[in-house]
Amino acid sequence: MPEPITPVTFPPAFLWGAATSAYQIEGAVREGGRTPSIWDTFSHTPGKTAGGETGDIAVDHYHRYRDDVALMAELGLSAYRFSVSWSRVQPTGRGPAVQVGLDFYRRLVDELLAAGIKPAVTLYHWDLPQELEDAGGWPERDTALRFAEYAQIVGEALGDRVENWITLNEPWCSAFLGYASGVHAPGRTEPVASLKAAHHLNLAHGLGTSALRSAMPARNSVAISLNSSVVRPLSPGDPADLAAVQKIDDLANGVFHGPILRGAYPETLLTATSSLTDWSYVLDGDLRAIHQPLDALGLNYYTPTLVSAADASVRGPRSDGHGASDHTPWPGADDVAFHLTPGDRTEMGWSIDPTGLHELIMRYTAEAPGLPLYITENGAAYDDKPDSDGRVHDPERIAYLHGHLSAVRRAIADGADVRGYYLWSLLDNFEWAYGYEKRFGAVYVDYATLTRTPKSSALWYGQAARTGTLAPTETT
């Protein structure tokens, strides 16, 4: 019989939330003046998503948001992180807003506030308006300028009622999965373009932060959500493996937190990518614009990364957890090999390792002292199915959440200023290139009827949210 896990108690002000993103849940892709985003185009391109599935309907949150907010309230959540669809608000990525698009988010925010749930707005969760991609996308500087205009529009519309703001979600995925490996929209495989995209995403964050602050009350908080990797060497005592760690850490982490937190790209990154680019697209004033003081930092964590040195001439499967492609999302790192990390795995094939979350939190506690942290995504996909009574029991997810929330509480005890946790995700949804195959939701969605059924993990998490305590549970 496994030993029970003892109760863990959180600070009273800790936020207990769930997170979603617009394209994954909203549907209604042709309503209210919305025009295609790169994910509409990508998902409608044969062979790009599992089963050719799209987000056209997703889980129809656009029409069912009131029921979804009521469900959050019933569970006892204190916060909800959602993203705004750029092409719903500003259909071409340029020009004036479409008020019917903004009105949807106004209604959503009003519904959340009426239910006592604190909204957190993410401005960009990977769904660039297709017209901006047609003009070059994130590798072009103009996209960052357009983002600042969009940030101003949304900040003016919602800033009086929404206090917590996030500029970008996981810019690493936007840059390197979108423009290097091509497994995400827009599906380009251009290493130099991916590095340009990373810089212009950084610039968009900086310019967007300034735009938000000019449009909103000073009390509001502006952050960014980074999927910073915990990169570990296969052989900790091997200098070549440690050099591989440095290279991947620069490409996963330093390329964003360097300019955002310190105002400079790591010299080791510039050297490692010098055969690809001279970084001349970093213009005078860019780093100043990017290096805006943050009010908080969002961290997204799922699994650690294990690397070693490799022979650059030897090609084979890349076990980095970021989808199958003949093209790498790691420009300039052909001499690095990725390895499957040990331990139990989720349906994504990702190993379950809460120590990585603790390590990540403590790293940023040291690197950005005094900066409040939020876990803006953490969760797991499992092959959830209703039983004969229609209930969905997911003990594996409960164990996953208990382990990772315990790691958060341990980090708080070690001095980290972690102020909230957003479970990924509230609902089963469109999981990007995986279509509807992978279920991350705490709430089960029957994709045929769109009926919502809270899984046992949702009930467990709701109890944690209401009590501030992780209920004792047994690993199974």
Side-chain angles (χ1 to χ4, degrees), residues 18-377:
T20 63
S21 85
Y23 189 72
Q24 292 181 274
I25 66 166
E26 283 182 3
V29 296
R30 297 175 188 86
E31 293 190 35
R34 184 189 180 279
T35 56
S37 74
I38 55 176
W39 269 98
D40 293 280
T41 302
F42 187 81
S43 64
H44 280 269
T45 303
K48 295 297 186 182
T49 65
E53 291 167 331
T54 75
D56 286 3
I57 298 173
V59 297
D60 197 33
H61 175 73
Y62 185 83
H63 297 111
R64 300 165 186 254
Y65 71 93
R66 289 188 177 91
D67 292 340
D68 290 338
V69 172
L71 184 54
M72 291 181 235
E74 184 180 334
L75 291 173
L77 302 190
S78 56
Y80 175 53
R81 176 185 169 227
F82 64 92
S83 78
V84 173
S85 165
W86 189 345
S87 56
R88 192 179 295 287
V89 165
Q90 199 185 24
T92 64
R94 293 182 173 84
V98 171
Q99 290 304 314
V100 68
L102 282 173
D103 285 345
F104 167 69
Y105 296 106
R106 290 185 178 110
R107 292 192 302 272
L108 174 59
V109 167
D110 288 346
E111 198 79 15
L112 289 164
L113 293 175
I117 298 170
K118 197 177 187 72
V121 169
T122 302
L123 286 173
Y124 185 75
H125 199 128
W126 308 352
D127 48 356
L128 187 70
Q130 183 61 45
E131 289 200 24
L132 291 184
E133 175 58 30
D134 293 342
W138 284 112
E140 296 298 321
R141 169 175 293 269
D142 186 64
T143 306
L145 306 182
R146 302 287 74 76
F147 178 80
E149 294 174 357
Y150 160 64
Q152 179 93 18
I153 288 170
V154 183
E156 288 174 352
L158 302 179
D160 61 332
R161 286 160 293 164
V162 177
E163 295 182 4
N164 291 340
W165 291 76
I166 294 163
T167 53
L168 309 174
N169 178 77
E170 298 187 355
W172 185 88
C173 296
S174 298
F176 297 110
L177 300 184
Y179 292 93
S181 69
V183 298
H184 278 192
R188 289 163 59 178
T189 53
E190 306 162 36
V192 175
S194 72
L195 292 166
K196 289 181 177 179
H199 175 64
H200 294 137
L201 283 155
N202 283 331
L203 184 59
H205 159 74
L207 297 176
T209 296
S210 297
L212 284 174
R213 288 189 170 135
S214 73
M216 304 191 308
R219 69 174 184 271
N220 290 359
S221 168
V222 181
I224 186 171
S225 286
L226 300 177
N227 57 319
S228 296
S229 293
V230 175
V231 189
R232 295 168 173 168
L234 184 65
S235 300
D238 186 338
D241 284 6
L242 294 175
V245 167
Q246 179 68 61
K247 186 168 285 190
I248 298 306
D249 188 78
D250 284 343
L251 284 166
N253 305 324
V255 68
F256 297 109
H257 76 219
I260 290 170
L261 297 180
R262 302 194 187 99
Y265 286 102
E267 285 299 325
T268 44
L269 170 70
L270 304 182
T271 299
T273 56
S274 61
S275 63
L276 295 171
T277 178
D278 61 4
W279 292 80
S280 57
Y281 40 85
V282 181
L283 304 186
D284 288 346
D286 281 5
L287 291 171
R288 256 191 329 275
I290 295 167
H291 185 41
Q292 299 292 320
L294 288 174
D295 299 304
L297 178 64
L299 298 176
N300 296 356
Y301 172 82
Y302 292 94
T303 191
T305 300
L306 188 64
V307 301
S308 70
D311 185 339
S313 65
V314 176
R315 299 285 180 171
R318 191 184 61 254
S319 299
D320 64 357
H322 293 296
S325 173
D326 292 333
H327 303 270
T328 178
W330 306 101
D334 289 340
D335 56 349
V336 175
F338 293 82
H339 303 271
L340 289 174
T341 49
D344 294 336
R345 302 187 181 281
T346 70
E347 283 293 308
M348 295 294 288
W350 299 342
S351 69
I352 302 166
D353 189 346
T355 68
L357 180 55
H358 179 271
E359 182 179 329
L360 186 68
I361 293 168
M362 299 315 297
R363 172 180 182 171
Y364 281 97
T365 296
E367 294 194 3
L371 186 63
L373 304 176
Y374 291 86
I375 307 308
T376 42
E377 284 185 29

Side-chain angles (χ1 to χ4, degrees), residues 429-458:
N429 55 44
F430 177 77
E431 186 49 41
W432 308 114
Y434 293 97
Y436 295 94
E437 287 185 352
K438 309 296 184 185
R439 292 182 177 269
F440 275 91
V443 175
Y444 182 87
V445 178
D446 181 325
Y447 294 126
T449 65
L450 298 178
T451 300
R452 277 82 157 135
T453 303
K455 304 173 188 177
S456 54
S457 62

